[in-house]
Amino acid sequence: MSGLCQTSLDDSEGRVMDSAETNKAIVRRFLGAVAAGDIDTIEELQAPDCTWWVVGRGEVSRKSYTDDVRGMLLAADPRKVEIIGMVAEGDMVAAEIRSEFHFGDRVYANEYHDLFEIRAGQIVHGREYFDTGKVAAFFGPMEG
């Protein structure tokens, strides 16, 4: 039996999804949690040993990544995270994302390309690409 055909979730109509669809559902749930400010789900969907690589920063620990997300989520209202497209193969899910975070009268908007590696229903590694110029213009220079 191929590892690419393992199943673990049902879709909204009760059909069993293959691993690519299951992994895309996990990414949708993660990004939905970012939009909702649901830190508990963000934590739940990352494996304890999850690592991140972020353009402009390099390797980032799970704790540092989650702390950065938490800091942004607690300060922004409203938040919008829109998935433009997703492609999945095996344990990997690539997502094109557009976000908009409101900080009072200031709005931070950017587009992202994230690559998620999923195992056993959790994110074990993520790579995040975005326009670093937009980050620097809004938040200041990025720290490694």
Side-chain angles (χ1 to χ4, degrees):
M1 173 183 255
S2 170
L4 296 177
C5 295
Q6 295 174 347
T7 59
S8 62
L9 290 178
D10 293 344
D11 68 10
S12 62
E13 297 176 10
R15 296 179 299 234
V16 175
M17 297 185 290
D18 67 19
S19 64
E21 288 304 314
T22 298
N23 290 339
K24 285 166 64 175
I26 291 164
V27 169
R28 279 188 202 93
R29 188 169 170 227
F30 181 81
L31 295 172
V34 171
D38 181 354
I39 294 295
D40 291 339
T41 298
I42 291 167
E43 291 275 7
E44 170 193 329
L45 292 175
Q46 293 179 83
D49 59 347
C50 179
T51 58
W52 293 87
W53 180 93
V54 178
V55 69
R57 290 183 66 194
E59 293 294 326
V60 178
S61 71
R62 177 192 194 278
K63 180 184 179 337
S64 180
Y65 181 86
T66 303
D67 287 349
D68 289 348
V69 171
R70 179 182 287 114
M72 180 182 283
L73 294 181
L74 295 178
D77 186 32
R79 296 171 295 276
K80 180 180 178 185
V81 178
E82 176 186 8
I83 299 171
I84 306 304
M86 270 198 292
V87 176
E89 183 173 314
D91 292 339
M92 306 301 283
V93 177
E96 182 182 4
I97 305 152
R98 185 174 297 132
S99 70
E100 188 174 289
F101 295 90
H102 294 252
F103 299 87
D105 293 339
R106 298 181 67 215
V107 177
Y108 167 68
N110 211 335
E111 293 187 2
Y112 300 80
H113 187 276
D114 286 2
L115 181 62
F116 299 90
E117 184 176 353
I118 314 256
R119 284 201 200 107
Q122 291 184 305
I123 299 164
V124 296
H125 184 69
R127 293 183 70 81
E128 189 166 83
Y129 301 86
F130 48 83
D131 184 338
T132 57
K134 289 181 180 180
V135 172
F138 193 88
F139 295 105
M142 293 177 64
E143 297 178 19

